[in-house]
Amino acid sequence: MLGKFITFEGLDGAGKSTFIPFAQDVISRAGHPVVRTREPGGTAVGESIRKLLLDPSAQLSPETEALLMFAARQQHLQSVVLPALDRGQYVLCDRFTDSTYAYQGGGRGIPAEKLADLETWVHQGFQADLTLLFDVEESISQARLKQDRAPDRFEQEAAEFHRKVRQSYRERSIQYSDRIRLIDAGRALEKVKVDVEKYVLTIC
Ligand code: T5A
Protein backbone atom coordinates (compact mmCIF):
# COMPACT_ATOMS: atom_id res chain seq x y z
CA MET A 1 0.00 0.00 0.00
CA LEU A 2 1.37 3.42 -0.93
CA GLY A 3 -0.93 5.41 1.37
CA LYS A 4 -1.65 5.22 5.10
CA PHE A 5 -4.84 4.33 6.93
CA ILE A 6 -5.64 6.27 10.11
CA THR A 7 -8.71 5.49 12.18
CA PHE A 8 -10.40 7.62 14.86
CA GLU A 9 -12.18 5.92 17.73
CA GLY A 10 -13.96 6.70 20.96
CA LEU A 11 -17.33 7.06 22.64
CA ASP A 12 -20.10 9.05 20.98
CA GLY A 13 -19.25 12.70 21.64
CA ALA A 14 -15.59 12.02 22.53
CA GLY A 15 -14.39 14.49 19.87
CA LYS A 16 -13.53 12.46 16.75
CA SER A 17 -15.41 14.72 14.33
CA THR A 18 -13.80 17.76 15.92
CA PHE A 19 -10.23 16.57 15.42
CA ILE A 20 -10.42 14.76 12.06
CA PRO A 21 -10.35 18.05 10.05
CA PHE A 22 -7.37 19.15 12.16
CA ALA A 23 -5.53 15.89 11.42
CA GLN A 24 -6.36 16.35 7.75
CA ASP A 25 -4.67 19.79 7.82
CA VAL A 26 -1.58 18.39 9.53
CA ILE A 27 -1.21 15.67 6.87
CA SER A 28 -1.86 18.08 3.99
CA ARG A 29 0.76 20.47 5.34
CA ALA A 30 3.19 17.53 5.42
CA GLY A 31 2.58 17.21 1.67
CA HIS A 32 0.36 14.11 1.45
CA PRO A 33 -2.98 13.77 -0.38
CA VAL A 34 -5.69 12.94 2.15
CA VAL A 35 -9.33 11.81 2.06
CA ARG A 36 -11.90 11.46 4.83
CA THR A 37 -14.50 8.78 5.22
CA ARG A 38 -16.56 7.11 7.94
CA GLU A 39 -18.12 3.89 9.23
CA PRO A 40 -20.69 2.67 9.13
CA GLY A 41 -20.99 4.42 5.78
CA GLY A 42 -18.56 5.78 3.21
CA THR A 43 -20.42 4.20 0.25
CA ALA A 44 -24.01 4.41 -0.99
CA VAL A 45 -24.68 0.91 0.34
CA GLY A 46 -22.89 1.66 3.61
CA GLU A 47 -24.86 4.86 4.17
CA SER A 48 -28.13 2.93 3.69
CA ILE A 49 -26.95 0.37 6.24
CA ARG A 50 -25.95 3.22 8.57
CA LYS A 51 -29.48 4.66 8.48
CA LEU A 52 -30.88 1.32 9.57
CA LEU A 53 -28.26 0.83 12.30
CA LEU A 54 -28.79 4.26 13.86
CA ASP A 55 -32.58 4.25 13.61
CA PRO A 56 -33.93 4.14 17.20
CA SER A 57 -37.03 2.28 16.01
CA ALA A 58 -35.02 -0.59 14.44
CA GLN A 59 -35.23 -3.83 16.44
CA LEU A 60 -31.86 -5.45 15.71
CA SER A 61 -30.30 -8.35 17.57
CA PRO A 62 -26.63 -7.88 18.57
CA GLU A 63 -25.63 -10.45 15.92
CA THR A 64 -27.56 -8.68 13.16
CA GLU A 65 -25.96 -5.42 14.24
CA ALA A 66 -22.45 -6.91 14.04
CA LEU A 67 -23.09 -8.52 10.65
CA LEU A 68 -24.43 -5.24 9.25
CA MET A 69 -21.32 -3.39 10.51
CA PHE A 70 -19.10 -5.87 8.69
CA ALA A 71 -21.30 -5.87 5.56
CA ALA A 72 -20.93 -2.08 5.32
CA ARG A 73 -17.19 -2.45 6.03
CA GLN A 74 -16.65 -4.99 3.26
CA GLN A 75 -18.21 -2.64 0.72
CA HIS A 76 -16.25 0.33 2.09
CA LEU A 77 -12.89 -1.43 2.14
CA GLN A 78 -13.15 -2.81 -1.37
CA SER A 79 -14.60 0.20 -3.13
CA VAL A 80 -13.20 3.18 -1.21
CA VAL A 81 -10.41 2.51 1.31
CA LEU A 82 -8.12 0.07 -0.54
CA PRO A 83 -8.30 1.93 -3.90
CA ALA A 84 -7.45 5.22 -2.15
CA LEU A 85 -4.47 3.62 -0.39
CA ASP A 86 -3.33 2.14 -3.72
CA ARG A 87 -3.39 5.67 -5.16
CA GLY A 88 -1.08 6.78 -2.33
CA GLN A 89 -3.67 8.73 -0.36
CA TYR A 90 -3.86 9.04 3.40
CA VAL A 91 -7.31 7.80 4.42
CA LEU A 92 -8.82 9.19 7.64
CA CYS A 93 -11.68 7.01 8.81
CA ASP A 94 -14.16 8.06 11.50
CA ARG A 95 -14.53 4.66 13.25
CA PHE A 96 -13.49 1.22 12.01
CA THR A 97 -13.29 -2.31 13.41
CA ASP A 98 -12.20 -1.27 16.92
CA SER A 99 -15.73 0.23 17.19
CA THR A 100 -17.22 -3.20 16.50
CA TYR A 101 -15.15 -4.84 19.24
CA ALA A 102 -16.02 -2.00 21.65
CA TYR A 103 -19.76 -1.62 20.88
CA GLN A 104 -20.90 -5.05 19.68
CA GLY A 105 -18.27 -6.89 21.75
CA GLY A 106 -17.93 -4.88 24.95
CA GLY A 107 -21.32 -3.15 24.84
CA ARG A 108 -23.58 -5.92 23.48
CA GLY A 109 -21.60 -8.91 24.74
CA ILE A 110 -20.75 -10.70 21.47
CA PRO A 111 -17.67 -12.88 22.09
CA ALA A 112 -14.48 -11.44 20.61
CA GLU A 113 -13.77 -14.76 18.81
CA LYS A 114 -16.96 -14.39 16.75
CA LEU A 115 -16.02 -10.86 15.77
CA ALA A 116 -12.49 -12.03 14.99
CA ASP A 117 -13.90 -14.58 12.50
CA LEU A 118 -15.72 -11.80 10.67
CA GLU A 119 -12.66 -9.56 10.85
CA THR A 120 -10.48 -12.29 9.30
CA TRP A 121 -12.97 -12.74 6.46
CA VAL A 122 -13.47 -9.04 5.71
CA HIS A 123 -10.03 -7.59 6.48
CA GLN A 124 -7.91 -10.38 4.96
CA GLY A 125 -5.01 -9.23 7.14
CA PHE A 126 -5.55 -5.52 6.60
CA GLN A 127 -5.05 -3.22 9.63
CA ALA A 128 -4.88 0.50 10.31
CA ASP A 129 -1.41 2.07 10.36
CA LEU A 130 -2.47 4.28 13.26
CA THR A 131 -5.55 4.50 15.48
CA LEU A 132 -6.25 7.53 17.64
CA LEU A 133 -8.48 6.59 20.56
CA PHE A 134 -10.21 9.60 22.12
CA ASP A 135 -10.70 8.45 25.68
CA VAL A 136 -13.12 10.32 27.89
CA GLU A 137 -15.43 9.51 30.78
CA GLU A 138 -18.87 8.52 29.57
CA SER A 139 -20.54 11.28 31.60
CA ILE A 140 -18.47 13.91 29.75
CA SER A 141 -19.04 12.44 26.29
CA GLN A 142 -22.77 12.18 26.91
CA ALA A 143 -22.93 15.80 28.05
CA ARG A 144 -21.11 16.90 24.87
CA LEU A 145 -23.55 15.24 22.48
CA LYS A 146 -25.60 17.66 20.48
CA GLN A 147 -28.71 18.70 22.34
CA ASP A 148 -30.46 19.91 19.17
CA ARG A 149 -31.20 16.45 17.75
CA ALA A 150 -32.72 13.24 19.02
CA PRO A 151 -30.20 10.60 20.18
CA ASP A 152 -29.57 7.74 17.75
CA ARG A 153 -29.94 4.05 18.64
CA PHE A 154 -26.49 3.86 20.27
CA GLU A 155 -26.55 7.25 21.94
CA GLN A 156 -29.79 6.40 23.71
CA GLU A 157 -28.25 3.37 25.43
CA ALA A 158 -27.86 3.49 29.23
CA ALA A 159 -24.69 4.76 30.92
CA GLU A 160 -23.66 1.17 31.73
CA PHE A 161 -23.50 0.34 28.02
CA HIS A 162 -21.16 3.29 27.37
CA ARG A 163 -19.05 2.36 30.39
CA LYS A 164 -18.53 -1.14 28.96
CA VAL A 165 -17.72 0.28 25.51
CA ARG A 166 -15.07 2.54 27.02
CA GLN A 167 -13.59 -0.31 29.03
CA SER A 168 -13.34 -2.45 25.92
CA TYR A 169 -11.61 0.35 24.00
CA ARG A 170 -9.10 0.84 26.82
CA GLU A 171 -8.32 -2.89 26.88
CA ARG A 172 -7.73 -2.89 23.13
CA SER A 173 -5.38 0.07 23.43
CA ILE A 174 -3.20 -2.08 25.69
CA GLN A 175 -3.54 -5.22 23.54
CA TYR A 176 -2.71 -3.33 20.32
CA SER A 177 -0.31 -0.75 21.71
CA ASP A 178 1.75 -0.88 18.49
CA ARG A 179 -1.09 0.79 16.59
CA ILE A 180 -3.51 2.43 19.05
CA ARG A 181 -2.60 5.74 20.72
CA LEU A 182 -4.85 6.62 23.63
CA ILE A 183 -5.50 10.36 23.94
CA ASP A 184 -7.03 11.91 27.05
CA ALA A 185 -9.93 13.68 25.34
CA GLY A 186 -11.34 15.09 28.56
CA ARG A 187 -8.82 17.95 28.41
CA ALA A 188 -9.14 21.34 26.70
CA LEU A 189 -9.26 21.31 22.88
CA GLU A 190 -5.80 22.89 22.49
CA LYS A 191 -4.16 20.19 24.62
CA VAL A 192 -5.87 17.38 22.69
CA LYS A 193 -4.71 18.98 19.42
CA VAL A 194 -1.07 18.78 20.53
CA ASP A 195 -1.36 14.99 20.93
CA VAL A 196 -3.24 14.55 17.65
CA GLU A 197 -0.53 16.43 15.74
CA LYS A 198 2.29 14.57 17.52
CA TYR A 199 0.90 11.12 16.74
CA VAL A 200 -0.17 11.90 13.17
CA LEU A 201 3.27 13.27 12.32
CA THR A 202 4.84 9.94 13.34
CA ILE A 203 3.50 8.40 10.11
CA CYS A 204 3.86 11.40 7.78
N1 T5A B 1 -20.81 1.83 15.72
C1 T5A B 1 -19.99 2.17 14.67
C2 T5A B 1 -20.83 0.54 16.23
O1 T5A B 1 -21.59 0.25 17.16
N2 T5A B 1 -20.02 -0.41 15.67
C3 T5A B 1 -19.19 -0.14 14.60
O2 T5A B 1 -18.48 -1.04 14.13
C4 T5A B 1 -19.18 1.21 14.09
C5 T5A B 1 -18.29 1.55 12.94
C6 T5A B 1 -21.88 5.85 14.66
C7 T5A B 1 -22.43 4.95 15.73
O3 T5A B 1 -22.25 3.63 15.28
C8 T5A B 1 -21.69 2.86 16.30
C9 T5A B 1 -20.97 3.80 17.22
C10 T5A B 1 -21.71 5.09 17.05
O4 T5A B 1 -22.67 5.17 18.10
P1 T5A B 1 -20.89 8.23 14.68
O5 T5A B 1 -21.26 8.84 13.41
O6 T5A B 1 -19.49 7.81 14.81
O7 T5A B 1 -21.94 7.12 15.05
O8 T5A B 1 -21.32 9.21 15.78
P2 T5A B 1 -20.67 9.65 17.09
O9 T5A B 1 -19.49 8.94 17.57
O10 T5A B 1 -21.85 9.73 17.99
O11 T5A B 1 -20.15 11.02 16.55
P3 T5A B 1 -20.36 12.37 17.15
O12 T5A B 1 -20.10 13.36 16.07
O13 T5A B 1 -21.64 12.49 17.88
O14 T5A B 1 -19.21 12.36 18.24
P4 T5A B 1 -17.70 12.73 18.10
O15 T5A B 1 -17.32 12.88 16.69
O16 T5A B 1 -16.89 11.84 18.93
O17 T5A B 1 -17.71 14.13 18.85
P5 T5A B 1 -17.63 15.60 18.26
O18 T5A B 1 -16.30 15.86 17.72
O19 T5A B 1 -18.83 15.82 17.41
O20 T5A B 1 -17.74 16.39 19.63
C11 T5A B 1 -18.94 16.50 20.34
C12 T5A B 1 -19.02 17.90 20.97
O21 T5A B 1 -18.00 18.02 21.94
C13 T5A B 1 -17.18 19.15 21.69
C14 T5A B 1 -17.35 19.44 20.21
O22 T5A B 1 -17.12 20.80 19.95
C15 T5A B 1 -18.80 19.04 19.98
O23 T5A B 1 -19.64 20.09 20.33
N3 T5A B 1 -15.82 18.77 22.06
C16 T5A B 1 -15.16 19.28 23.10
N4 T5A B 1 -15.51 20.21 24.01
C17 T5A B 1 -14.59 20.53 24.95
N5 T5A B 1 -13.37 19.96 25.03
C18 T5A B 1 -12.97 19.03 24.14
N6 T5A B 1 -11.76 18.45 24.24
C19 T5A B 1 -13.91 18.64 23.12
N7 T5A B 1 -13.85 17.75 22.10
C20 T5A B 1 -15.02 17.84 21.46
Side-chain angles (χ1 to χ4, degrees):
M1 292 289 168
L2 296 170
K4 302 274 187 200
F5 187 53
I6 307 178
T7 60
F8 296 76
E9 295 283 358
L11 292 176
D12 305 76
K16 296 172 284 60
S17 316
T18 303
F19 293 104
I20 291 174
F22 174 69
Q24 181 173 17
D25 279 353
V26 171
I27 296 164
S28 295
R29 275 189 268 119
H32 302 289
V34 49
V35 289
R36 278 158 53 182
T37 186
R38 69 173 180 181
E39 289 206 353
T43 64
V45 167
E47 292 295 327
S48 298
I49 294 174
R50 177 188 178 90
K51 270 200 195 110
L52 175 59
L53 280 161
L54 299 191
D55 180 354
S57 69
Q59 303 285 318
L60 304 176
S61 72
E63 289 76 12
T64 303
E65 199 176 272
L67 289 164
L68 286 171
M69 292 295 177
F70 273 107
R73 185 161 299 135
Q74 165 68 17
Q75 188 80 11
H76 188 217
L77 262 179
Q78 297 304 325
S79 62
V80 173
V81 176
L82 297 177
L85 294 173
D86 272 342
R87 288 192 297 270
Q89 293 178 301
Y90 275 55
V91 179
L92 309 189
C93 193
D94 191 338
R95 298 192 180 280
F96 194 58
T97 301
D98 292 308
S99 282
T100 315
Y101 281 96
Y103 282 76
Q104 283 65 52
R108 303 283 193 222
I110 295 188
E113 307 77 62
K114 287 205 169 160
L115 298 177
D117 285 345
L118 295 172
E119 179 184 7
T120 301
W121 184 30
V122 171
H123 280 222
Q124 308 218 352
F126 177 76
Q127 285 299 342
D129 296 288
L130 173 69
T131 297
L132 299 185
L133 170 57
F134 293 84
D135 180 59
V136 68
E137 273 184 33
E138 47 282 11
S139 57
I140 297 179
S141 65
Q142 287 297 296
R144 282 181 187 167
L145 285 174
K146 294 177 194 74
Q147 305 300 323
D148 59 349
R149 62 168 171 83
D152 65 36
R153 213 166 57 80
F154 294 100
E155 291 166 355
Q156 69 177 15
E157 288 291 339
E160 178 61 9
F161 175 83
H162 298 288
R163 191 195 61 71
K164 287 194 252 176
V165 171
R166 183 187 182 207
Q167 178 62 25
S168 175
Y169 267 135
R170 290 173 66 91
E171 286 167 9
R172 285 183 72 74
S173 75
I174 294 166
Q175 193 179 356
Y176 300 102
S177 59
D178 54 326
R179 155 176 81 80
I180 303 179
R181 300 282 168 264
L182 186 144
I183 294 176
D184 176 359
R187 296 171 298 160
L189 289 168
E190 289 310 315
K191 292 205 164 147
V192 179
K193 268 187 179 178
V194 171
D195 280 355
V196 171
E197 180 162 24
K198 176 179 73 183
Y199 291 134
V200 164
L201 284 176
T202 61
I203 62 162
C204 280

